[in-house]
Amino acid sequence: MAKCTTKMLEYENQMFLDLFHEDGLIITARGLGIERILLNFLKLYCDPANLVLVLNVSSQEEEYLVEQLEQTGVTPLPKVITNEYSTNERHSIYMQGGVLFVTSRILVVDMLTERLPIDLVTGILVYKAHKIVESCQEAFIMRLYRQKNKTGFVKAFSDSPQSFTVGFCHVERVMKNLFVRKLYLWPRFHASVVSFLDTHKPDVVELHLQLTPSMVACQTALLDLINACVKELKRCNPGLNTDEITVENAIGKSFEQIIRLQLDPVWHQLGAKTRQLVADLKTLRLILQHLTQYDCVSFYNIVNSIRTSERTFGQNSGWLFLDSADSLFAHARERVYGSSQKAKKVKTDKTKSSAENQEPILEECPKWKALGEVLKEIEEENQNADPSIGPGRVLIAADDDRTCNQIKEYLCDGGHSLLTRLFIKAQAVKAAGQGKPDAAPAESYKGKSKGKGKSVKSAGKAETKGTTSEVTLTQMLDEHKDDMPQQDQAKDSSEPIAASSSDGYFGVLKSPVTILHPLHGCSDVHGLTRTLNDVKPQFVVLYDADMVFVRQLEVYKASHPGVPLRVYFLMYTGSVEEQKYLTTLRKEKEAFEMLIREKATMVIPEERDGKMVDDPYLSRDTTAANATVNTRKGGIQKETDVQQKIIVDMREFRSELPSLIHRRGIDIEPVTIDVGDYILTPDICVERKSVSDLIGSLNSGRLYNQCVSMSRYYKRPVLLIEFDPSKPFALQFNKYISSEISIQDVTSRLALLTLHFQKLRILWCPSPYATAELFEELKVGRSQPDAAAAMAITAESQVGQDSEKYSHTSKDLLLKMPGINSKNYYRIMNKVENLAELLTLSEDKIGEILGSETNAKSLWDFLHSEHKRTESAVSGGSKASTSKGWKGYKRKR
């Protein structure tokens, strides 16, 4: 086996050895490189003598891990099992051994069908273990694994400590689902981590920048508005957890998740004002992000669009009428057009129009200037660099792709040219919206540029051709490009850099060689890590603060101790950006402190690892401990219990229900069936629908066809509507139910469905747990279903309870006649040979057969009334059809 080119760090060795010697769950701080630990376990078990399964890994992560193993020369490489492989091919791959990435749905089916030899599995590696809840597929896999394999290992990994702080004893419940007894915690403040990383510190230069006075005023106004909305939200909803809904949390990225967690279950019960407050908070947070993230023109555009939009203006919760909102609009405009003190001295009727046409100031972002100075310093240092090392490359990491694109344009064209281009575009869009010619903004701006052109000439700049003093927009852009260093030409002449990330901007500048890469929103989750290893920069500029990338840089420096690394940290002092970064650090620290306290008081039973033969957690007996036992059986021989079984469609293994059914002691037989999702008995067929699927099926008509098939082939068709307790839903939003039938109303459609299919039964279940319990009760005292018979039933087949005796065509024809319904059509079919005989019967005889004089009169009148004959009617075909018996339409099986 080939050795790894990148050795594990000292604390990583300790992590690896702890988890290797004893199974457990390891939780690390984000950015410390938990994927490196998983990678080394994969290297260890990549051998045909082992059979190791890896769970909960996305396709991108699989590709990254396999690529890393391939670069280190590991053979054989792990295999990825998907639905492209047939069942026989999957069994063959399992028998070959090695490390296998398998999707949870496929693995559950292969375990239930014994296609996978569970007793031969060496162990299971579980990634992102914080997602393992009791009802998920991975927990089902772990339970099936431990029932038949008592010797294999289980090793779980997670780098999300905050996920374990939600709910009661969440970490203990996850460990219970994973069948592990040990918990390993590795925060950033762990003594081993601190001591090692402190000895390999990169050179850090912190640049604390000041916000401009206008930006400070805008930030203050936005925080006041957010505070007002938060207070109003709490006042309208006293039941909310006020500890979580604060202004500090409102500026963080997880605030929407906090709001959704509390309001989603009752969203349909909330008033319009509460919903609008939630929407307004989202809008204000977006504006706050634009303040420090993007340029002044983009910020003014978003603020101005909210103020000028009639819909937003009319639907807002009231924050637009506060003094802070006026301050926000005024200072946002001031960043583009400058102070309006001079306009206050001269009062005219056209103050607004003249203000819009005045020459823009276009305040540059303070970080742009700082970034330019940093790159200039790096360029000077590269000129005096050690020849053995060579000039260092620069990696600039910004928040998202839009920010990276703006930085690229700034470095190539300059700040003024960038802002001018954005301003022209905004004016053109505004003019187009008002129905003005596109050239209007340009002409307006051109007239205001006369003074600018004179000042440029007097400063000794190159004069433009022509005698006029007017400067066009294109000339202004060209002039400003001439003022900038020759950087855009460097872009074209820079040497290509081999990199595997598709999200980066490579070769932006030649001197120094500069690469831009976004921190978030990448198409590849490991794109930044790939770029860092491919480019090997000596200088990294953190344009936006990010806790995870800071730690990745620490790990990168510790892994390459001989490579110099300097990190420039750009941050606005006293800004929301700084507070957001500090809040992220504080929350992770508090999460680890809570986990440490919980670990100290945690009581782990001896049988938690599931290796005992009679492990109570693996027991599938759902009998309650306090259940009444009959002690008066005497010498009566005990009846042997029949093992309950349910046939489940393959596609249903994406849901939680099969896992919970198996948990209740019912065997599951996974097959592909066309009619229904669950076959409980030979007579009971269940079609399961979530709320969203129910509405979609009603709209498309798919549910009607499914009910037709179920009613045709099963005596007791069931429509199961399953709710999600964490999501809102109400069939009737009004306080009363309308007596009128509306095709657009879900309640009306369900009513029509039940009227048409009178055998159909509808079950309402609040959760998958309730559904599993209901299935168990429905199977009591009933026979078990046959998988072969269920698979033989298709939408086109004629296998059903009545198809042996009568044809469905004849039955459907009878049901269309007046006086015939689903309760009496059998009487006609049993006592009348064909339609011709029915026509000869008297009204009294029909009443005797149907048992109802009213129905008999309706049917007799329909059959013996005179009807106009159409030209398209074919007498021969009609006559022949009347002489056929009800059984004559039966299809051959």
Side-chain angles (χ1 to χ4, degrees), residues 695-724:
I695 297 173
S697 300
L698 286 172
N699 292 334
S700 64
R702 189 174 74 254
L703 182 57
Y704 176 84
N705 296 328
Q706 291 171 336
C707 290
V708 167
S709 300
M710 287 195 299
S711 301
R712 181 168 293 175
Y713 304 125
Y714 292 94
K715 288 183 178 179
R716 295 182 178 85
V718 176
L719 173 62
L720 170 68
I721 303 175
E722 197 173 82
F723 293 85
D724 187 348

mmCIF file of all heavy atoms in Angstrom, residues 695-724:
data_model
loop_
_atom_site.group_PDB
_atom_site.id
_atom_site.type_symbol
_atom_site.label_atom_id
_atom_site.label_comp_id
_atom_site.label_asym_id
_atom_site.label_seq_id
_atom_site.Cartn_x
_atom_site.Cartn_y
_atom_site.Cartn_z
ATOM 1 N N ILE A 695 -51.538 16.943 -3.011
ATOM 2 C CA ILE A 695 -52.038 18.076 -3.802
ATOM 3 C C ILE A 695 -51.591 17.948 -5.250
ATOM 4 O O ILE A 695 -52.362 18.180 -6.186
ATOM 5 C CB ILE A 695 -51.551 19.398 -3.177
ATOM 6 C CG1 ILE A 695 -52.134 19.550 -1.770
ATOM 7 C CG2 ILE A 695 -51.934 20.589 -4.044
ATOM 8 C CD1 ILE A 695 -51.600 20.736 -1.001
ATOM 9 N N GLY A 696 -50.334 17.553 -5.452
ATOM 10 C CA GLY A 696 -49.840 17.375 -6.819
ATOM 11 C C GLY A 696 -50.568 16.267 -7.558
ATOM 12 O O GLY A 696 -50.881 16.400 -8.752
ATOM 13 N N SER A 697 -50.873 15.160 -6.853
ATOM 14 C CA SER A 697 -51.573 14.043 -7.490
ATOM 15 C C SER A 697 -53.018 14.406 -7.820
ATOM 16 O O SER A 697 -53.558 13.975 -8.837
ATOM 17 C CB SER A 697 -51.549 12.817 -6.574
ATOM 18 O OG SER A 697 -50.229 12.414 -6.306
ATOM 19 N N LEU A 698 -53.647 15.209 -6.973
ATOM 20 C CA LEU A 698 -55.009 15.657 -7.259
ATOM 21 C C LEU A 698 -55.032 16.578 -8.472
ATOM 22 O O LEU A 698 -55.942 16.528 -9.296
ATOM 23 C CB LEU A 698 -55.590 16.374 -6.041
ATOM 24 C CG LEU A 698 -56.005 15.484 -4.862
ATOM 25 C CD1 LEU A 698 -56.373 16.339 -3.661
ATOM 26 C CD2 LEU A 698 -57.179 14.591 -5.239
ATOM 27 N N ASN A 699 -54.022 17.427 -8.581
ATOM 28 C CA ASN A 699 -53.974 18.364 -9.707
ATOM 29 C C ASN A 699 -53.711 17.647 -11.034
ATOM 30 O O ASN A 699 -54.289 18.000 -12.066
ATOM 31 C CB ASN A 699 -52.902 19.425 -9.464
ATOM 32 C CG ASN A 699 -53.255 20.357 -8.330
ATOM 33 O OD1 ASN A 699 -54.446 20.552 -8.025
ATOM 34 N ND2 ASN A 699 -52.265 20.950 -7.687
ATOM 35 N N SER A 700 -52.823 16.660 -10.995
ATOM 36 C CA SER A 700 -52.445 15.986 -12.240
ATOM 37 C C SER A 700 -53.398 14.855 -12.630
ATOM 38 O O SER A 700 -53.351 14.376 -13.758
ATOM 39 C CB SER A 700 -51.028 15.417 -12.106
ATOM 40 O OG SER A 700 -50.986 14.407 -11.102
ATOM 41 N N GLY A 701 -54.244 14.420 -11.706
ATOM 42 C CA GLY A 701 -55.140 13.303 -11.990
ATOM 43 C C GLY A 701 -54.513 11.946 -11.758
ATOM 44 O O GLY A 701 -55.152 10.916 -12.000
ATOM 45 N N ARG A 702 -53.262 11.917 -11.283
ATOM 46 C CA ARG A 702 -52.592 10.635 -11.051
ATOM 47 C C ARG A 702 -53.265 9.852 -9.924
ATOM 48 O O ARG A 702 -53.341 8.620 -9.971
ATOM 49 C CB ARG A 702 -51.118 10.879 -10.728
ATOM 50 C CG ARG A 702 -50.300 9.592 -10.677
ATOM 51 C CD ARG A 702 -48.821 9.858 -10.505
ATOM 52 N NE ARG A 702 -48.477 10.283 -9.161
ATOM 53 C CZ ARG A 702 -48.148 11.526 -8.817
ATOM 54 N NH1 ARG A 702 -48.122 12.468 -9.737
ATOM 55 N NH2 ARG A 702 -47.844 11.835 -7.578
ATOM 56 N N LEU A 703 -53.750 10.554 -8.922
ATOM 57 C CA LEU A 703 -54.380 9.882 -7.790
ATOM 58 C C LEU A 703 -55.647 9.151 -8.217
ATOM 59 O O LEU A 703 -55.964 8.077 -7.694
ATOM 60 C CB LEU A 703 -54.700 10.903 -6.690
ATOM 61 C CG LEU A 703 -55.318 10.349 -5.409
ATOM 62 C CD1 LEU A 703 -54.415 9.293 -4.796
ATOM 63 C CD2 LEU A 703 -55.572 11.464 -4.404
ATOM 64 N N TYR A 704 -56.399 9.722 -9.162
ATOM 65 C CA TYR A 704 -57.616 9.057 -9.655
ATOM 66 C C TYR A 704 -57.262 7.706 -10.274
ATOM 67 O O TYR A 704 -57.907 6.686 -9.989
ATOM 68 C CB TYR A 704 -58.320 9.954 -10.670
ATOM 69 C CG TYR A 704 -59.537 9.324 -11.307
ATOM 70 C CD1 TYR A 704 -60.776 9.364 -10.679
ATOM 71 C CD2 TYR A 704 -59.431 8.668 -12.536
ATOM 72 C CE1 TYR A 704 -61.895 8.767 -11.255
ATOM 73 C CE2 TYR A 704 -60.542 8.078 -13.122
ATOM 74 C CZ TYR A 704 -61.772 8.132 -12.476
ATOM 75 O OH TYR A 704 -62.868 7.547 -13.056
ATOM 76 N N ASN A 705 -56.236 7.689 -11.118
ATOM 77 C CA ASN A 705 -55.838 6.432 -11.759
ATOM 78 C C ASN A 705 -55.345 5.417 -10.732
ATOM 79 O O ASN A 705 -55.597 4.212 -10.861
ATOM 80 C CB ASN A 705 -54.751 6.701 -12.797
ATOM 81 C CG ASN A 705 -55.246 7.580 -13.928
ATOM 82 O OD1 ASN A 705 -56.417 7.524 -14.294
ATOM 83 N ND2 ASN A 705 -54.362 8.395 -14.489
ATOM 84 N N GLN A 706 -54.636 5.899 -9.701
ATOM 85 C CA GLN A 706 -54.163 4.990 -8.672
ATOM 86 C C GLN A 706 -55.330 4.395 -7.884
ATOM 87 O O GLN A 706 -55.314 3.214 -7.536
ATOM 88 C CB GLN A 706 -53.204 5.740 -7.742
ATOM 89 C CG GLN A 706 -51.882 6.103 -8.403
ATOM 90 C CD GLN A 706 -51.035 7.020 -7.546
ATOM 91 O OE1 GLN A 706 -51.547 7.739 -6.681
ATOM 92 N NE2 GLN A 706 -49.732 7.011 -7.786
ATOM 93 N N CYS A 707 -56.354 5.209 -7.620
ATOM 94 C CA CYS A 707 -57.523 4.702 -6.901
ATOM 95 C C CYS A 707 -58.313 3.716 -7.760
ATOM 96 O O CYS A 707 -58.884 2.748 -7.239
ATOM 97 C CB CYS A 707 -58.416 5.867 -6.474
ATOM 98 S SG CYS A 707 -57.710 6.899 -5.179
ATOM 99 N N VAL A 708 -58.366 3.951 -9.065
ATOM 100 C CA VAL A 708 -59.028 3.015 -9.961
ATOM 101 C C VAL A 708 -58.350 1.647 -9.884
ATOM 102 O O VAL A 708 -59.013 0.601 -9.760
ATOM 103 C CB VAL A 708 -59.016 3.555 -11.409
ATOM 104 C CG1 VAL A 708 -59.411 2.464 -12.390
ATOM 105 C CG2 VAL A 708 -59.950 4.736 -11.549
ATOM 106 N N SER A 709 -57.015 1.641 -9.947
ATOM 107 C CA SER A 709 -56.284 0.367 -9.909
ATOM 108 C C SER A 709 -56.456 -0.332 -8.574
ATOM 109 O O SER A 709 -56.687 -1.556 -8.517
ATOM 110 C CB SER A 709 -54.795 0.622 -10.189
ATOM 111 O OG SER A 709 -54.613 1.203 -11.463
ATOM 112 N N MET A 710 -56.355 0.419 -7.473
ATOM 113 C CA MET A 710 -56.493 -0.203 -6.154
ATOM 114 C C MET A 710 -57.900 -0.757 -5.957
ATOM 115 O O MET A 710 -58.081 -1.863 -5.427
ATOM 116 C CB MET A 710 -56.172 0.805 -5.057
ATOM 117 C CG MET A 710 -54.705 1.145 -4.931
ATOM 118 S SD MET A 710 -54.326 1.984 -3.371
ATOM 119 C CE MET A 710 -55.341 3.455 -3.512
ATOM 120 N N SER A 711 -58.918 -0.004 -6.367
ATOM 121 C CA SER A 711 -60.302 -0.458 -6.190
ATOM 122 C C SER A 711 -60.609 -1.667 -7.061
ATOM 123 O O SER A 711 -61.452 -2.493 -6.718
ATOM 124 C CB SER A 711 -61.267 0.684 -6.534
ATOM 125 O OG SER A 711 -61.032 1.799 -5.713
ATOM 126 N N ARG A 712 -59.927 -1.782 -8.165
ATOM 127 C CA ARG A 712 -60.183 -2.874 -9.094
ATOM 128 C C ARG A 712 -59.578 -4.188 -8.617
ATOM 129 O O ARG A 712 -60.167 -5.254 -8.790
ATOM 130 C CB ARG A 712 -59.632 -2.503 -10.467
ATOM 131 C CG ARG A 712 -59.855 -3.527 -11.548
ATOM 132 C CD ARG A 712 -59.541 -2.947 -12.905
ATOM 133 N NE ARG A 712 -60.493 -1.913 -13.274
ATOM 134 C CZ ARG A 712 -60.403 -1.177 -14.375
ATOM 135 N NH1 ARG A 712 -59.390 -1.365 -15.201
ATOM 136 N NH2 ARG A 712 -61.310 -0.262 -14.640
ATOM 137 N N TYR A 713 -58.405 -4.105 -7.978
ATOM 138 C CA TYR A 713 -57.676 -5.341 -7.654
ATOM 139 C C TYR A 713 -57.681 -5.706 -6.176
ATOM 140 O O TYR A 713 -57.243 -6.789 -5.818
ATOM 141 C CB TYR A 713 -56.222 -5.220 -8.125
ATOM 142 C CG TYR A 713 -56.106 -4.903 -9.595
ATOM 143 C CD1 TYR A 713 -55.383 -3.801 -10.027
ATOM 144 C CD2 TYR A 713 -56.741 -5.691 -10.544
ATOM 145 C CE1 TYR A 713 -55.288 -3.500 -11.374
ATOM 146 C CE2 TYR A 713 -56.651 -5.397 -11.888
ATOM 147 C CZ TYR A 713 -55.924 -4.295 -12.294
ATOM 148 O OH TYR A 713 -55.840 -3.997 -13.627
ATOM 149 N N TYR A 714 -58.148 -4.794 -5.301
ATOM 150 C CA TYR A 714 -58.138 -5.087 -3.868
ATOM 151 C C TYR A 714 -59.499 -4.752 -3.266
ATOM 152 O O TYR A 714 -60.154 -3.773 -3.680
ATOM 153 C CB TYR A 714 -57.044 -4.291 -3.153
ATOM 154 C CG TYR A 714 -55.647 -4.728 -3.524
ATOM 155 C CD1 TYR A 714 -54.943 -4.086 -4.539
ATOM 156 C CD2 TYR A 714 -55.039 -5.792 -2.868
ATOM 157 C CE1 TYR A 714 -53.665 -4.481 -4.890
ATOM 158 C CE2 TYR A 714 -53.761 -6.205 -3.216
ATOM 159 C CZ TYR A 714 -53.081 -5.547 -4.228
ATOM 160 O OH TYR A 714 -51.822 -5.956 -4.579
ATOM 161 N N LYS A 715 -59.906 -5.553 -2.293
ATOM 162 C CA LYS A 715 -61.200 -5.334 -1.655
ATOM 163 C C LYS A 715 -61.209 -4.086 -0.785
ATOM 164 O O LYS A 715 -62.242 -3.417 -0.669
ATOM 165 C CB LYS A 715 -61.566 -6.550 -0.795
ATOM 166 C CG LYS A 715 -61.955 -7.781 -1.582
ATOM 167 C CD LYS A 715 -62.365 -8.899 -0.636
ATOM 168 C CE LYS A 715 -62.814 -10.133 -1.429
ATOM 169 N NZ LYS A 715 -63.202 -11.243 -0.528
ATOM 170 N N ARG A 716 -60.077 -3.776 -0.145
ATOM 171 C CA ARG A 716 -60.022 -2.643 0.777
ATOM 172 C C ARG A 716 -58.880 -1.693 0.380
ATOM 173 O O ARG A 716 -57.803 -1.721 0.969
ATOM 174 C CB ARG A 716 -59.831 -3.134 2.210
ATOM 175 C CG ARG A 716 -61.003 -3.935 2.742
ATOM 176 C CD ARG A 716 -60.762 -4.356 4.183
ATOM 177 N NE ARG A 716 -61.907 -5.078 4.713
ATOM 178 C CZ ARG A 716 -62.121 -6.379 4.562
ATOM 179 N NH1 ARG A 716 -61.243 -7.103 3.885
ATOM 180 N NH2 ARG A 716 -63.182 -6.957 5.067
ATOM 181 N N PRO A 717 -59.106 -0.872 -0.608
ATOM 182 C CA PRO A 717 -58.084 0.133 -0.958
ATOM 183 C C PRO A 717 -58.042 1.245 0.081
ATOM 184 O O PRO A 717 -59.088 1.680 0.589
ATOM 185 C CB PRO A 717 -58.552 0.649 -2.315
ATOM 186 C CG PRO A 717 -60.023 0.433 -2.319
ATOM 187 C CD PRO A 717 -60.275 -0.807 -1.499
ATOM 188 N N VAL A 718 -56.837 1.694 0.411
ATOM 189 C CA VAL A 718 -56.647 2.709 1.455
ATOM 190 C C VAL A 718 -55.759 3.819 0.918
ATOM 191 O O VAL A 718 -54.712 3.549 0.313
ATOM 192 C CB VAL A 718 -56.016 2.088 2.722
ATOM 193 C CG1 VAL A 718 -55.742 3.173 3.765
ATOM 194 C CG2 VAL A 718 -56.918 1.008 3.307
ATOM 195 N N LEU A 719 -56.178 5.061 1.134
ATOM 196 C CA LEU A 719 -55.355 6.226 0.832
ATOM 197 C C LEU A 719 -54.838 6.781 2.158
ATOM 198 O O LEU A 719 -55.615 7.228 3.003
ATOM 199 C CB LEU A 719 -56.165 7.293 0.083
ATOM 200 C CG LEU A 719 -55.466 8.636 -0.143
ATOM 201 C CD1 LEU A 719 -54.230 8.446 -1.011
ATOM 202 C CD2 LEU A 719 -56.407 9.647 -0.766
ATOM 203 N N LEU A 720 -53.531 6.713 2.353
ATOM 204 C CA LEU A 720 -52.908 7.184 3.585
ATOM 205 C C LEU A 720 -52.324 8.576 3.345
ATOM 206 O O LEU A 720 -51.466 8.758 2.489
ATOM 207 C CB LEU A 720 -51.802 6.214 4.024
ATOM 208 C CG LEU A 720 -50.909 6.685 5.168
ATOM 209 C CD1 LEU A 720 -51.673 6.758 6.465
ATOM 210 C CD2 LEU A 720 -49.688 5.783 5.312
ATOM 211 N N ILE A 721 -52.795 9.544 4.095
ATOM 212 C CA ILE A 721 -52.276 10.916 4.017
ATOM 213 C C ILE A 721 -51.443 11.147 5.270
ATOM 214 O O ILE A 721 -51.960 11.136 6.387
ATOM 215 C CB ILE A 721 -53.409 11.943 3.906
ATOM 216 C CG1 ILE A 721 -54.269 11.631 2.678
ATOM 217 C CG2 ILE A 721 -52.854 13.353 3.810
ATOM 218 C CD1 ILE A 721 -55.490 12.511 2.550
ATOM 219 N N GLU A 722 -50.153 11.344 5.070
ATOM 220 C CA GLU A 722 -49.204 11.432 6.182
ATOM 221 C C GLU A 722 -48.714 12.867 6.327
ATOM 222 O O GLU A 722 -48.226 13.472 5.374
ATOM 223 C CB GLU A 722 -48.032 10.484 5.924
ATOM 224 C CG GLU A 722 -47.211 10.187 7.150
ATOM 225 C CD GLU A 722 -46.178 9.107 6.866
ATOM 226 O OE1 GLU A 722 -45.116 9.438 6.309
ATOM 227 O OE2 GLU A 722 -46.453 7.933 7.165
ATOM 228 N N PHE A 723 -48.840 13.395 7.507
ATOM 229 C CA PHE A 723 -48.425 14.765 7.792
ATOM 230 C C PHE A 723 -47.010 14.772 8.352
ATOM 231 O O PHE A 723 -46.537 13.791 8.908
ATOM 232 C CB PHE A 723 -49.367 15.417 8.801
ATOM 233 C CG PHE A 723 -50.759 15.635 8.293
ATOM 234 C CD1 PHE A 723 -51.705 14.627 8.359
ATOM 235 C CD2 PHE A 723 -51.118 16.838 7.730
ATOM 236 C CE1 PHE A 723 -52.982 14.810 7.891
ATOM 237 C CE2 PHE A 723 -52.393 17.042 7.260
ATOM 238 C CZ PHE A 723 -53.328 16.034 7.341
ATOM 239 N N ASP A 724 -46.373 15.915 8.226
ATOM 240 C CA ASP A 724 -45.083 16.151 8.861
ATOM 241 C C ASP A 724 -45.332 17.114 10.014
ATOM 242 O O ASP A 724 -45.752 18.253 9.799
ATOM 243 C CB ASP A 724 -44.094 16.757 7.863
ATOM 244 C CG ASP A 724 -42.690 16.853 8.438
ATOM 245 O OD1 ASP A 724 -42.546 16.675 9.662
ATOM 246 O OD2 ASP A 724 -41.743 17.110 7.676
#
